[in-house]
Amino acid sequence: MSVNFFETDCKEDARKEKQFGICDDQNGTKAYTDTTDSTKWIAIVKNVKEIDVSFTAIDNCIIVFKEGTKDIESSCDGMLTFAESLYLVELKKQGTGGWISDAKGQLENTIRLISENHDLSSFRYKKAFACNRKHPSFTVIDIAERRSFFERTRGFRIDVQAEIVIK
């Protein structure tokens, strides 16, 4: 069964603001963007060139079932699309523990699901962001792990930080 991640009711209207947030109330509803209440923002999107950026909620909105079951596939919270770019975003609010590996797993699975349903060759820039409000600063991932993620996901770069810069 084919799933369309790009033409869906889960896609918000494009935004041009220089800064906005991505929120997840973590109550079973989908993630969304916001410009008014920064206390809810888990990730901050910096868009200084005011490019049209579209956010599409994935988790709790685009439902994909594991093959042959009624179990729902694990997915990241959403994606940002603009120009030739596809940025996947996983939002966390955890203080400690294995949140980075959990986020990477969700991002990798989402990349697999999107790749199975779409040709992503039109996207020149592909990134996966693991964002955590309790750990907003850039987290260093060693070169071998970055390369491994890039190879496993067929061209996605991984970033662990709560600031997403649109270029």
Side-chain angles (χ1 to χ4, degrees):
M1 183 175 122
S2 183
V3 178
N4 193 328
F5 285 82
F6 296 100
E7 298 303 322
T8 171
D9 291 342
C10 300
K11 184 176 186 176
E12 296 181 1
D13 291 336
R15 289 191 168 279
K16 287 182 112 152
E17 291 90 351
K18 288 185 180 186
Q19 180 172 288
F20 60 92
I22 305 175
C23 312
D24 181 1
D25 296 337
Q26 299 192 349
N27 59 3
T29 59
K30 66 184 179 180
Y32 58 95
T33 59
D34 175 77
T35 57
T36 58
D37 188 356
S38 62
T39 64
K40 291 183 163 195
W41 300 0
I42 298 174
I44 298 170
V45 179
K46 302 274 186 169
N47 184 16
V48 294
K49 293 182 181 174
E50 297 179 325
I51 297 168
D52 278 336
V53 178
S54 295
F55 177 77
T56 304
I58 298 175
D59 191 29
N60 295 314
C61 199
I62 299 174
I63 307 300
V64 181
F65 293 100
K66 293 180 182 177
E67 193 171 325
T69 73
K70 293 186 179 188
D71 296 330
I72 296 174
E73 288 275 8
S74 174
S75 61
C76 70
D77 290 296
M79 67 181 172
L80 296 165
T81 50
F82 57 97
E84 299 174 310
S85 302
L86 169 61
Y87 289 4
L88 295 173
V89 181
E90 174 57 24
L91 305 169
K92 298 288 187 192
K93 288 185 187 176
Q94 293 169 249
T96 58
W99 73 269
I100 294 174
S101 62
D102 289 347
K104 283 191 336 188
Q106 288 173 277
L107 289 161
E108 282 188 57
N109 200 52
T110 305
I111 292 165
R112 177 184 64 80
L113 294 170
I114 293 173
S115 297
E116 287 174 355
N117 290 280
H118 300 279
D119 174 7
L120 301 181
S121 63
S122 64
F123 292 104
R124 185 171 174 199
Y125 305 102
K126 297 179 283 197
K127 284 185 143 187
F129 286 88
C131 305
N132 189 330
R133 180 175 20 209
K134 296 194 179 195
H135 298 275
S137 300
F138 181 77
T139 300
V140 175
I141 301 175
D142 70 37
I143 293 169
E145 190 173 344
R146 282 183 178 280
R147 183 177 299 123
S148 176
F149 186 90
F150 184 83
E151 290 169 0
R152 284 193 314 272
T153 60
R154 295 181 206 100
F156 278 81
R157 299 188 185 284
I158 182 78
D159 267 329
V160 179
Q161 62 181 323
E163 185 175 283
I164 300 169
V165 178
I166 304 300
K167 296 180 188 179

